[in-house]
Amino acid sequence: MVSESNKPLSESDVDAALKRWSGPVVAPDFADRVMREIEDRKRQVMRTPRRVIRPWAIAAAVMVLVTAVLLRITAVTSLPPGMRLVRFALRVPHAERVALAGSFNGWGHRIALHAHRHGLWTVKIPLRAGQYTYVFVVNGHHIVPDPHAEGYRPDGFGGKNSLIIVGSSGVAA
Amino acid sequence: MKRMPWLMLAFAVSLVPRASLAAPTVIQQLTQSGLSGGQAGRLLREARRDHVSVRVVGQWAESFRGLARDRLPVTLAVAQVFEGLMKQVSPARITDGLQVFVQDLHQARTTLNRHARASSVARHPREGRQALSDLVIAQRSGLKVRVLNQLLGSRRLSVRRVAVFVQVAADLRNWGMHRQKVVGILRKARQKGVSTRKLLSLDASLAQRLARGGGQQQLGADLRRGLGFTSPMGPGGVSGSFSGPGGMAPGMPGGGGMTPPGGGGPGGMSMGRP
């Protein structure tokens, strides 16, 4: 409650008031109490992760991880619309390396086939619907048409290319 | 003694590989012939790798320039050269092959202009390019201009229809069917208005059948049945043709084409049996 009066302050009143002001504003143990509070809070913060690492938290984390991995795998394996994964295979028992070249990449870089048992070499590549000509390149220099191709076409150099028809709605590539 | 610096300079110049001096000019020639910078660079790199002289690459560039001048697709000829380089064909044979290809391409354009509607060619440049490529392949497969004219008839077609009929004709020819038989069947299909979709589907089915070891003797009969033509021998009169599961039948559903092994799953299309 505030009391107001019009009585002027005497000099002794002013001195007494000034003495009160110069005294300590907070209790002497204030700093210790603040530091204790800080320490307590710090300990609480340190304890929090332990509280979070509970079985349900682990399960949730695993589920999130599995979902992320599955999404990633789907993104990698799913083909763009109109593309199909086509498997090329050749049996060459004593080959050191086998590659595939064809019109699907403008007769550009050769695509290496992977070796399996009994001299079987295979590779899968995504292709759009259409017709493609191709050959196998054995050991880097030996050009081999696919013995089980869907057809053959003269290559313009006296040889022949193998033919593959992907899908049924496309025209030659 | 006075001539010594000049002699040394001449000697130094003679040591500089000619290719490195000529390369920028050849690149320029190639890019002026309608090749992109990337294509020109790749061609020159691969030519160098195979020790093809700059003079020969210049000849190729000249051929490309001729095609570009005549508004013929240079990309087809470039692919032909890349194919030759990839197969390590000798430069002389690549040059000869390119010359023949250029002649064939000119002939193909004449045939295309004769049978395709000009508006269709103008509207569909990609399919026009495709039709030209197919016509070149057909010519290589022994279907000469006269035969192609018979096949495509006098009524003008869309560029896609020309491409598909020529492509299927070339496939049939390469599977060993006689050219007159090819023309006979496909001419009838054209007159009956068989769709390009059905024709391509049938083509893919026949290809699969042959790749699985189906005989070529029944090709004509299978094709006729697939197109829904009545056999001259009456129902069931065609002996030895494919039958049973997977056998071709009139009105075979569209889709056709290649089927994944095991009957399903994404991709997994198989060819070239192990």
Side-chain angles (χ1 to χ4, degrees):
Chain A
M1 196 169 178
V2 180
S3 66
E4 291 178 14
S5 75
N6 291 329
K7 194 177 99 182
L9 284 170
S10 67
E11 209 164 303
S12 58
D13 288 342
V14 172
D15 285 344
L18 282 173
K19 266 180 199 165
R20 277 203 305 276
W21 272 25
S22 60
V25 179
V26 291
D29 64 335
F30 177 77
D32 294 338
R33 279 192 285 126
V34 168
M35 290 313 290
R36 267 203 303 277
E37 187 71 16
I38 288 170
E39 287 298 316
D40 287 351
R41 293 268 174 96
K42 212 191 270 180
R43 258 181 245 124
Q44 271 180 2
V45 170
M46 297 278 277
R47 248 179 275 139
T48 309
R50 257 178 255 156
R51 237 182 272 154
V52 170
I53 303 170
R54 297 274 166 83
W56 63 266
I58 294 169
V62 168
M63 275 180 70
V64 167
L65 197 70
V66 167
T67 311
V69 168
L70 283 176
L71 283 173
R72 173 87 182 136
I73 289 169
T74 313
V76 169
T77 53
S78 65
L79 292 167
M83 301 282 275
R84 295 187 185 197
L85 210 54
V86 182
R87 179 173 172 264
F88 292 84
L90 182 71
R91 192 180 287 282
V92 213
H94 303 295
E96 285 173 9
R97 59 184 195 277
V98 179
L100 177 73
S103 61
F104 35 77
N105 65 359
W107 296 96
H109 66 275
R110 297 169 181 181
I111 300 161
L113 273 76
H114 312 291
H116 300 272
R117 283 186 300 178
H118 311 301
L120 178 66
W121 296 76
T122 65
V123 72
K124 276 183 184 177
I125 57 168
L127 292 176
R128 286 190 188 286
Q131 287 203 356
Y132 301 92
T133 47
Y134 66 97
V135 288
F136 291 112
V137 187
V138 177
N139 294 339
H141 58 89
H142 192 45
I143 304 295
V144 181
D146 187 347
H148 301 294
E150 296 179 347
Y152 300 94
R153 282 181 170 175
D155 67 355
F157 301 115
K160 64 178 181 179
N161 291 327
S162 309
L163 173 77
I164 180 170
I165 303 174
V166 180
S168 58
S169 57
V171 288
Chain B
M1 206 56 189
K2 264 186 181 178
R3 284 183 193 164
M4 200 59 183
W6 289 107
L7 285 172
M8 282 175 72
L9 183 66
F11 179 68
V13 166
S14 72
L15 288 179
V16 176
R18 284 181 186 187
S20 64
L21 284 174
T25 323
V26 176
I27 288 249
Q28 221 169 9
Q29 265 182 292
L30 289 168
T31 48
Q32 281 168 2
S33 310
L35 273 76
S36 66
Q39 274 180 321
R42 185 187 144 198
L43 185 60
L44 208 59
R45 260 196 321 275
E46 292 190 15
R48 264 191 196 156
R49 187 200 59 203
D50 292 355
H51 309 291
V52 179
S53 72
V54 172
R55 188 180 56 82
V56 171
V57 179
Q59 285 176 352
W60 297 346
E62 205 50 51
S63 297
F64 299 149
R65 198 202 298 243
L67 288 175
R69 200 176 40 235
D70 297 338
R71 296 187 173 194
L72 281 162
V74 178
T75 47
L76 297 177
V78 174
Q80 176 80 10
V81 171
F82 278 133
E83 184 181 342
L85 288 170
M86 201 288 303
K87 291 179 174 175
Q88 293 172 352
V89 175
S90 71
R93 274 178 67 196
I94 293 179
T95 308
D96 291 347
L98 186 60
Q99 278 173 4
V100 174
F101 187 79
V102 168
Q103 286 168 12
D104 286 350
L105 211 49
H106 277 99
Q107 185 58 62
R109 208 229 331 242
T110 309
T111 308
L112 184 67
N113 288 347
R114 184 174 182 164
H115 294 285
R117 285 192 295 272
S119 58
S120 178
V121 177
R123 265 204 312 272
H124 306 286
R126 189 173 166 271
E127 289 180 333
R129 213 163 41 237
Q130 196 54 64
L132 289 174
S133 169
D134 290 331
L135 281 161
V136 169
I137 290 164
Q139 287 167 41
R140 279 184 194 167
S141 310
L143 294 167
K144 299 296 171 200
V145 179
R146 188 177 54 80
V147 179
L148 288 170
N149 288 342
Q150 283 176 2
L151 170 74
L152 297 168
S154 55
R155 201 174 145 199
R156 284 180 183 264
L157 310 168
S158 70
V159 66
R160 178 174 168 81
R161 211 161 162 75
V162 170
V164 170
F165 271 85
V166 170
Q167 181 179 303
V168 174
D171 287 345
L172 292 170
R173 185 78 193 100
N174 286 319
W175 287 327
M177 188 184 274
H178 192 272
R179 61 172 71 88
Q180 283 310 322
K181 207 170 179 178
V182 171
V183 170
I185 295 174
L186 290 181
R187 191 168 53 184
K188 196 172 171 186
R190 179 177 51 77
Q191 286 164 348
K192 278 197 153 195
V194 173
S195 71
T196 52
R197 189 181 169 81
K198 184 168 186 177
L199 212 55
L200 285 171
S201 168
L202 200 53
D203 189 40
S205 302
L206 289 173
Q208 268 197 306
R209 193 76 47 81
L210 289 167
R212 286 193 197 121
Q216 293 181 340
Q217 293 82 5
Q218 284 80 41
L219 203 60
D222 287 335
L223 187 61
R224 279 200 197 89
R225 278 196 295 167
L227 290 166
F229 300 163
T230 319
S231 167
M233 297 173 76
V238 183
S239 62
S241 57
F242 293 113
S243 59
M248 204 172 294
M252 198 173 52
M258 307 176 87
T259 48
M269 190 180 302
S270 178
M271 54 85 47
R273 290 161 300 156

